[in-house]
């Protein structure tokens, strides 16, 4: 039987003409179809390959442009000025950069070091009680119970623990092994010389704080007065250079401390100043402190008893007979007297209900020269009467005694002189010999420099100066020269006989002032002893002011409290120590009055 099932229709395969020819010649059409499919697939694959190559070229070109832009930006940054990096998010405004402070020869006085802060994530802590106990053992100032309570407070996720730590403490905290204790790197202000120049530098603390950055701000002294300059990112690479000389600062502090110990003083101060520039080469106030661990201010009692109190700047005192040279210098400048003019010294000198006496009876009259050498209150008051109160007040104002000290420490404006409300006749007379007007040792040093440098105004500064910038003339060169002669005679003939230093020709004036009682009146057994010295006296270069608070020499039948027995020998030893450090060679031959001073003054 024949199968009548029809064949399925054949799908036409292109090219049809070739298939028809193949049937006519007896070739297999399937072979031709497969070859045709292969060619079509090859054509499709070539198209896809070209498309992929194009895409890869475009992608490669994109990366070349991208990396080229990155390289260009890196080159731009490398050639640009460095800028202060800023933290992300809420810490973006915090910068810990702070410029160094150096002495006049570049020695570091204040700088920055990298330290570690410690904080905790209580929710990540494994053993809060044990970790609190271990941490309290490392830091005795932490109270274990309070620390445990802080860390255990529900919902708390962040707790500050320490602002700074030593490397040893960091390792001890690591050894606890608590994963919830975390560290943050930050800068800390460091004072490598400890207590040296503490009252000048003042100290610093943290201001705005973040986890990974903390602002360092000044709290006192130069650090606070120049805070904006020290924190300016544009000036952080330039150190602030002070006028202090570190070796002289160290020597002055050592001598002053030994003098305080020897004479059982409550405290003291010492200022060394360049007589022409007003630069303060050394400023010491004792007791002092370590600015690395600045103590807290007193909450009760007299702030003057605190080691933070700067006696040289903040301390305003009646300084006593050191003021007499200003009275005689003004009178000589006005032509009222000369060194040999005889002055009536008979006492007591009465002014209303007040009486003025001398320490001892010096006879009926003394020359102006001897009034300074013997330190006569009556003779000085007589000269003040010749000057008059208006001219006296004007002159003391020109010397800077009526204004706060213009010094670059934040405390200076607070050290305002105490001026009598009524500057009458009796006030004029007592101020002439250092009573009734309270002022600071820095004021006194600037006034002495002005009177002794040829008569040119000196403004004290704690910053190093370039060259000598003379102020306006206050007194004549002649009055200045005569004043130097009289101060030299005080050491060679008068009340400061223990003040001479062989080879350096020291001049100066003593001052012993009774300390006032808080409720009025004066103590009979408490004095402030001051010696205002200059060397070399014939051609002054430096003024040294030393004050000792309640000092007394207890050897002998009765205590000796006058400055000639206390402040003078301390100053003498100080000059003996610091003069060689200043590069000054001792003079062997007796000096003559040079014309150098006039030449220097005319610069």
């Amino acid at each position: 039987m024949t199968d009548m099932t029809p064949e399925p229709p054949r799908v036409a395969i292109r090219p049809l003409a070739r298939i028809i020819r193949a049937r006519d010649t007896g070739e297999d059409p399937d072979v031709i179809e497969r070859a045709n499919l292969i060619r079509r697939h090859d054509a499709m694959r070539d198209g896809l390959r070209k498309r992929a190559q194009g895409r890869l070229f475009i992608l490669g070109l994109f990366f070349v442009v991208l990396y080229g832009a990155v390289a260009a930006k890196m080159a731009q940054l490398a050639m640009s000025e460095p800028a202060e990096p800023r933290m992300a998010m809420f810490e973006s405004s915090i910068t810990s950069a702070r410029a160094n402070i150096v002495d006049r020869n570049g020695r570091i006085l204040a700088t920055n070091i990298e330290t570690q802060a410690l904080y905790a994530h209580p929710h990540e802590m494994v053993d809060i009680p044990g970790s609190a106990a271990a941490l309290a053992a490392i830091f005795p100032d932490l109270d274990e119970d309070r620390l445990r309570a802080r860390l255990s407070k529900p919902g708390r996720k962040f707790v500050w623990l320490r602002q700074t730590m030593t490397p040893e403490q960091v390792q001890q905290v690591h050894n606890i092994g608590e994963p919830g204790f975390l560290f943050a790197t930050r800068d800390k202000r460091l004072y490598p010389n400890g207590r040296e120049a503490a009252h000048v530098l003042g100290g610093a603390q943290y201001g705005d704080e973040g986890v990974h950055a903390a602002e360092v701000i000044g709290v006192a002294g130069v650090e606070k007065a120049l805070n904006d300059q020290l924190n300016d990112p544009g000036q952080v690479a330039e150190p602030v250079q002070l006028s202090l000389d570190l070796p002289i600062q160290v020597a002055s502090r050592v001598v002053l401390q030994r003098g305080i110990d020897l004479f059982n003083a409550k405290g003291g101060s010492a200022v060394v100043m360049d007589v022409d520039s007003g630069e303060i080469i050394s400023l010491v106030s004792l007791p002092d402190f370590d600015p690395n661990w600045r103590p807290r201010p007193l909450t009760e009692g007299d702030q003057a008893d605190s080691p933070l109190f700067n006696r040289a700047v903040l301390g305003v005192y009646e300084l006593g007979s050191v003021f007499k040279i200003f009275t005689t210098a003004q009178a000589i400048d006005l032509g009222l007297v000369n060194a040999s003019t005889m002055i009536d010294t008979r006492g007591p000198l009465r002014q209303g209900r007040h009486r003025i006496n001398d320490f001892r009876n010096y006879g009926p009259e003394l020359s102006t020269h001897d009034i300074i050498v013997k330190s006569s209150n009556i003779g000085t008051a007589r000269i003040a009467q010749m000057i008059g109160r208006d001219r006296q007040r004007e002159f003391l104002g020109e010397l800077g005694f009526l204004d706060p000290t213009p010094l670059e420490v934040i405390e200076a404006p607070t050290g305002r002189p105490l001026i009598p409300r009524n500057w009458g006749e009796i006030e004029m007379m007592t101020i002439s010999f250092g009573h009734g007007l309270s002022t600071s040792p820095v004021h006194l040093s600037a006034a002495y420099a002005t009177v002794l440098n040829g008569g040119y105004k000196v403004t004290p500064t704690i910053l190093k100066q370039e060259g000598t910038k003379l102020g306006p003339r206050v007194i004549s060169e002649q009055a200045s020269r005569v004043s130097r002669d009289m101060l030299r005679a005080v050491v060679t003939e008068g009340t400061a006989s223990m003040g001479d230093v062989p080879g350096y020709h020291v001049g100066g004036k003593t001052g012993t002032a009774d300390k006032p009682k808080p409720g009025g009146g004066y103590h009979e057994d408490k004095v402030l002893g001051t010696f205002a010295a200059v060397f070399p006296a014939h051609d002054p270069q430096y003024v040294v002011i030393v004050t000792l608070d309640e000092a007394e020499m207890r050897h002998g039948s009765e205590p000796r409290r006058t400055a000639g027995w206390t402040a003078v020998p301390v100053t003498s030893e100080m000059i003996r120590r610091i003069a060689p450090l200043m590069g000054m060679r001792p003079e062997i031959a007796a000096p003559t009055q040079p014309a150098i001073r006039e030449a220097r003054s005319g610069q």
Side-chain angles (χ1 to χ4, degrees), residues 222-359:
V222 169
E223 289 276 27
K224 186 170 184 179
L226 304 180
N227 187 69
D228 291 344
Q229 178 181 348
L230 291 165
N231 271 354
D232 184 352
Q235 302 184 59
V236 71
E238 294 294 328
V240 171
Q241 191 166 31
L242 303 187
S243 58
L244 297 182
D245 191 316
L246 184 57
I248 296 172
Q249 178 76 22
V250 173
S252 299
R253 182 181 179 277
V254 169
V255 174
L256 183 63
Q257 183 63 66
R258 290 180 179 175
I260 289 173
D261 296 339
L262 178 63
F263 297 116
N264 309 288
K266 183 179 179 181
S269 67
V271 179
V272 180
M273 176 182 286
D274 186 297
V275 300
D276 289 319
S277 66
E279 292 175 295
I280 293 179
I281 310 301
S282 171
L283 187 150
V284 183
S285 174
L286 295 176
D288 57 9
F289 61 96
D290 187 342
N292 292 299
W293 311 103
R294 184 178 171 85
R296 295 182 181 275
L298 295 180
T299 56
E300 57 183 17
D302 188 355
Q303 289 296 322
D305 295 333
S306 168
L308 298 176
F309 187 76
N310 188 341
R311 292 170 175 267
V313 175
L314 282 176
V316 289
Y317 314 99
E318 293 182 353
L319 295 173
S321 296
V322 290
F323 260 60
K324 291 174 180 173
I325 194 65
F326 305 131
T327 303
T328 57
Q330 184 183 12
I332 293 170
D333 184 59
L334 293 172
L336 301 175
V337 299
N338 57 39
S340 59
T341 301
M342 302 305 293
I343 306 296
D344 183 2
T345 55
R346 291 172 295 178
L349 174 59
R350 299 180 184 275
Q351 178 65 32
R353 59 186 179 86
H354 302 282
R355 295 191 308 172
I356 297 174
N357 292 293
D358 279 334
F359 186 71

Side-chain angles (χ1 to χ4, degrees), residues 279-564:
E279 292 175 295
I280 293 179
I281 310 301
S282 171
L283 187 150
V284 183
S285 174
L286 295 176
D288 57 9
F289 61 96
D290 187 342
N292 292 299
W293 311 103
R294 184 178 171 85
R296 295 182 181 275
L298 295 180
T299 56
E300 57 183 17
D302 188 355
Q303 289 296 322
D305 295 333
S306 168
L308 298 176
F309 187 76
N310 188 341
R311 292 170 175 267
V313 175
L314 282 176
V316 289
Y317 314 99
E318 293 182 353
L319 295 173
S321 296
V322 290
F323 260 60
K324 291 174 180 173
I325 194 65
F326 305 131
T327 303
T328 57
Q330 184 183 12
I332 293 170
D333 184 59
L334 293 172
L336 301 175
V337 299
N338 57 39
S340 59
T341 301
M342 302 305 293
I343 306 296
D344 183 2
T345 55
R346 291 172 295 178
L349 174 59
R350 299 180 184 275
Q351 178 65 32
R353 59 186 179 86
H354 302 282
R355 295 191 308 172
I356 297 174
N357 292 293
D358 279 334
F359 186 71
R360 59 173 57 92
N361 184 6
Y362 298 121
E365 59 180 9
L366 290 174
S367 66
T368 304
H369 177 277
D370 287 339
I371 284 173
I372 293 297
V373 171
K374 298 182 182 298
S375 196
S376 169
N377 294 340
I378 296 174
T380 308
R382 295 281 191 195
I383 296 175
Q385 287 179 316
M386 301 179 193
I387 296 171
R389 61 184 180 181
D390 292 337
R391 290 194 294 190
Q392 180 195 52
R393 180 166 185 158
E394 181 183 1
F395 181 66
L396 294 178
E398 291 178 344
L399 293 177
F401 282 122
L402 307 184
D403 301 309
T405 308
L407 201 62
E408 300 87 353
V409 295
I410 199 64
E411 299 83 2
T414 312
R416 182 179 292 274
L418 301 180
I419 304 168
R421 293 181 184 177
N422 176 35
W423 200 305
E425 289 296 315
I426 186 61
E427 287 78 16
M428 174 195 70
M429 296 166 74
T430 59
I431 287 172
S432 72
F433 53 83
H435 291 271
L437 174 64
S438 297
T439 189
S440 73
V442 170
H443 280 97
L444 186 67
S445 62
Y448 260 72
T450 298
V451 168
L452 301 175
N453 70 1
Y456 293 93
K457 171 70 175 176
V458 165
T459 301
T461 179
I462 203 69
L463 300 178
K464 185 178 180 181
Q465 305 297 300
E466 296 298 331
T468 299
K469 299 177 181 178
L470 297 172
R473 179 174 286 281
V474 177
I475 63 171
S476 65
E477 168 61 32
Q478 179 188 7
S480 178
R481 178 180 54 78
V482 174
S483 298
R484 297 195 295 266
D485 291 342
M486 291 191 293
L487 292 179
R488 175 58 179 163
V490 171
V491 174
T492 58
E493 309 169 23
T495 58
S497 58
M498 289 189 284
D500 206 9
V501 180
Y504 293 105
H505 312 290
V506 177
K509 184 71 188 75
T510 56
T512 306
D514 294 329
K515 293 186 65 175
K517 296 179 180 178
Y522 290 87
H523 292 283
E524 294 182 358
D525 58 349
K526 295 180 180 180
V527 301
L528 185 79
T530 304
F531 185 45
V534 58
F535 70 99
H538 59 284
D539 185 26
Q541 296 185 38
Y542 298 98
V543 163
V544 182
I545 307 293
V546 172
T547 65
L548 293 177
D549 190 359
E550 299 182 19
E552 60 180 22
M553 178 181 283
R554 296 176 181 173
H555 303 291
S557 58
E558 59 182 19
R560 296 185 173 112
R561 301 187 181 95
T562 59

Side-chain angles (χ1 to χ4, degrees), residues 5-308:
T5 304
E7 276 187 49
R10 179 181 296 273
V11 178
I13 301 177
R14 291 184 176 88
L16 183 59
R18 186 178 176 186
I19 297 298
I20 294 174
R21 287 195 302 269
R23 287 176 178 174
D24 293 341
T25 58
E27 296 181 38
D28 188 353
D30 291 337
V31 173
I32 295 173
E33 184 179 0
R34 286 194 295 271
N36 188 41
L37 286 173
I38 290 171
R39 285 194 299 273
R40 290 172 62 191
H41 289 164
D42 288 343
M44 292 172 60
R45 187 165 51 248
D46 290 342
L48 292 173
R49 182 170 57 251
K50 290 179 180 179
R51 185 182 304 171
Q53 288 174 343
R55 290 176 176 174
L56 287 173
F57 175 78
I58 293 173
L59 184 62
L61 183 62
F62 170 77
F63 278 106
V64 168
V65 173
L66 177 64
Y67 283 110
V70 172
K73 185 63 176 178
M74 293 175 65
Q76 179 186 0
L77 291 174
M79 293 184 291
S80 64
E81 292 294 327
E84 179 65 25
R86 296 189 175 273
M87 304 296 294
M89 299 174 61
F90 64 92
E91 295 177 9
S92 61
S93 63
I94 298 178
T95 174
S96 60
R98 193 168 177 87
N100 289 344
I101 301 176
V102 300
D103 82 340
R104 65 185 304 106
N105 295 309
R107 301 180 183 92
I108 294 291
L109 299 177
T111 187
N112 306 315
I113 60 168
E114 189 177 275
T115 184
Q116 296 288 328
L118 177 63
Y119 62 98
H121 287 170
H123 60 287
E124 297 177 356
M125 293 184 66
V126 176
D127 179 14
I128 289 180
S131 298
L135 205 62
I138 298 173
F139 305 105
D141 58 318
L142 291 179
D143 182 89
E144 181 181 346
D145 294 335
R146 291 184 60 187
L147 180 59
R148 187 187 306 113
R150 291 173 62 201
L151 295 172
S152 302
K153 187 175 181 179
R156 177 165 284 184
K157 295 185 177 181
F158 183 92
V159 177
W160 270 118
L161 298 174
R162 303 290 293 186
Q163 286 185 320
T164 60
M165 294 184 293
T166 65
E168 294 79 7
Q169 291 170 334
V170 171
Q171 185 59 51
Q172 289 174 326
V173 175
H174 272 297
N175 293 340
I176 296 175
E178 174 57 69
F181 286 162
L182 303 172
F183 301 90
T185 301
R186 58 175 55 185
D187 283 337
K188 181 183 185 301
R189 200 63 163 164
L190 175 69
Y191 303 92
N193 304 294
R195 294 174 177 268
E196 303 301 338
H199 287 97
V200 174
L201 298 171
Q205 65 182 18
Y206 289 122
D208 293 337
E209 291 189 79
V211 175
H212 300 294
E215 180 188 28
V216 180
I217 59 174
V219 295
V222 169
E223 289 276 27
K224 186 170 184 179
L226 304 180
N227 187 69
D228 291 344
Q229 178 181 348
L230 291 165
N231 271 354
D232 184 352
Q235 302 184 59
V236 71
E238 294 294 328
V240 171
Q241 191 166 31
L242 303 187
S243 58
L244 297 182
D245 191 316
L246 184 57
I248 296 172
Q249 178 76 22
V250 173
S252 299
R253 182 181 179 277
V254 169
V255 174
L256 183 63
Q257 183 63 66
R258 290 180 179 175
I260 289 173
D261 296 339
L262 178 63
F263 297 116
N264 309 288
K266 183 179 179 181
S269 67
V271 179
V272 180
M273 176 182 286
D274 186 297
V275 300
D276 289 319
S277 66
E279 292 175 295
I280 293 179
I281 310 301
S282 171
L283 187 150
V284 183
S285 174
L286 295 176
D288 57 9
F289 61 96
D290 187 342
N292 292 299
W293 311 103
R294 184 178 171 85
R296 295 182 181 275
L298 295 180
T299 56
E300 57 183 17
D302 188 355
Q303 289 296 322
D305 295 333
S306 168
L308 298 176

